[in-house]
Amino acid sequence: MKKKELAVQLLSEVEKLFPEATTELVNWRDDFQFLVAVILSAQTTDIQVNKITPELFRKYPDAKKLASAKIEDLEYTLGG
């Protein structure tokens, strides 16, 4: 089974197990931004992630912009 087929199958099973699943993360526009928000929420609260993601995604709306960011700029944006 190819990776994509496996991913689709796994997602289908998760959706069956949790049909009413929701998230407290509110500031994201696409899959990339949602992934970033989820990764950040593993390190802090969803409330805190919701506070910093509007500015983060304004400055770095996509993977290319985020990848080209200076660490110091990201730390400042994230409040570090």
Side-chain angles (χ1 to χ4, degrees):
M1 182 178 295
K2 293 181 182 178
K3 288 181 182 181
K4 184 174 181 178
E5 293 168 339
L6 180 59
V8 169
Q9 182 180 359
L10 289 172
L11 180 58
S12 176
E13 292 301 316
V14 169
E15 289 173 338
K16 287 178 193 173
L17 290 169
F18 305 101
E20 303 298 322
T22 61
T23 180
E24 298 295 320
L25 301 171
V26 295
N27 300 315
W28 53 277
R29 183 184 80 229
D30 54 34
D31 293 342
F32 169 74
Q33 289 184 358
F34 184 62
L35 177 62
V36 171
V38 168
I39 292 168
L40 291 172
S41 74
Q43 303 302 314
T44 188
T45 65
D46 290 351
I47 293 169
Q48 185 62 29
V49 173
N50 288 334
K51 287 179 183 178
I52 61 99
T53 47
E55 180 66 10
L56 177 69
F57 295 145
R58 185 188 67 75
K59 287 184 174 180
Y60 312 105
D62 55 43
K64 187 174 183 177
K65 295 258 170 123
L66 186 59
S68 66
K70 293 180 181 178
I71 295 296
E72 299 82 18
D73 293 339
L74 278 173
E75 288 172 343
Y76 178 78
T77 300
L78 296 173

